[in-house]
Amino acid sequence: RQRQDNKDCSMETTYRHRSYEDVLAILLGSSCAALGLALYHHAEILIGSTAGLALLVTYVTGWSFGLVFFVINLPFYWLAWRRIGHQFTFKTFGAVALLSWISWMLPSWLEIGEVDPLFAALAGGSLIGLGVLFLLRHRGSLGGFNILAVYLQDRYGWPAGKVQMALDGLIMLVAFFVLPVTNVLYSIVGTVVLGAILTINHRPGLYAGISQS
């Protein structure tokens, strides 16, 4: 019994994330998600969660996506701090702030030409899904519904990917009043791709990484 306990402790130590690994995950996750959202924005399609709300506001008002996304996420940090922990909250705040800044700067760094909406849905959904996966595996998120999904998974064991897909469905219903039907259908395709990536790759016990305290 003692030997097994020592082995488990050794494995936990082996998989414990170092601070620089967490920072790298935030950089990569935010960058991937920002590029995916840029494809979505250019094709005028939608994603779920607070990013979807921010895109809807941007399409209607013309305001900067990065700024709107940052502001919409502010109320969710209280839930993250109270229910999940301060480390998760700090990492999420850093990821959201970084994504907002990259999204604001991206037009001056990259000029996107014509993008097929189906390609934007598939490639953008994959990039965002990978970005969110980077962050979830290092105990962070892109805020909003991601915080709620992680909380429900930690508290009740509900898969974060399935929770995310259910909440995203509500955003898609609202989108029918803002976007053409074809754009919403492409948006649903992207949402399914993103949700599938999280459902397959982010399940309790599948990944042994533990954030270093």
Side-chain angles (χ1 to χ4, degrees), residues 76-211:
F76 289 91
Y77 297 127
W78 179 85
L79 175 62
W81 185 277
R82 290 289 301 273
R83 299 297 186 180
I84 303 178
H86 65 278
Q87 288 192 9
F88 179 89
T89 305
F90 286 140
K91 291 176 184 178
T92 297
F93 181 84
V96 170
L98 182 58
L99 187 149
S100 299
W101 180 75
I102 293 174
S103 297
W104 180 55
M105 294 295 297
L106 200 57
S108 63
W109 296 341
L110 176 66
E111 183 177 352
I112 301 178
E114 183 177 354
V115 178
D116 182 82
L118 180 59
F119 173 82
L122 296 174
S126 298
L127 285 169
I128 299 168
L130 291 174
V132 172
L133 184 62
F134 272 124
L135 297 170
L136 290 177
R137 287 186 167 183
H138 287 257
R139 298 296 296 168
S141 78
L142 287 178
F145 294 165
N146 295 143
I147 292 176
L148 184 58
V150 171
Y151 165 71
L152 292 175
Q153 176 169 282
D154 289 347
R155 181 69 181 272
Y156 302 107
W158 299 354
K162 292 181 179 179
V163 172
Q164 185 76 44
M165 290 182 68
L167 295 172
D168 290 345
L170 297 176
I171 300 297
M172 293 304 160
L173 291 177
V174 178
F176 279 105
F177 298 95
V178 178
L179 299 174
V181 174
T182 53
N183 290 44
V184 178
L185 294 178
Y186 286 126
S187 302
I188 293 174
V189 171
T191 299
V192 171
V193 171
L194 189 159
I197 290 175
L198 296 181
T199 301
I200 294 171
N201 295 283
H202 188 69
R203 300 193 303 271
L206 180 65
Y207 184 67
I210 302 173
S211 295

Side-chain angles (χ1 to χ4, degrees), residues 45-65:
I45 58 178
L46 198 65
I47 195 173
S49 193
T50 49
L53 290 176
L55 285 172
L56 281 174
V57 173
T58 299
Y59 294 151
V60 172
T61 65
W63 295 345
S64 168
F65 166 80

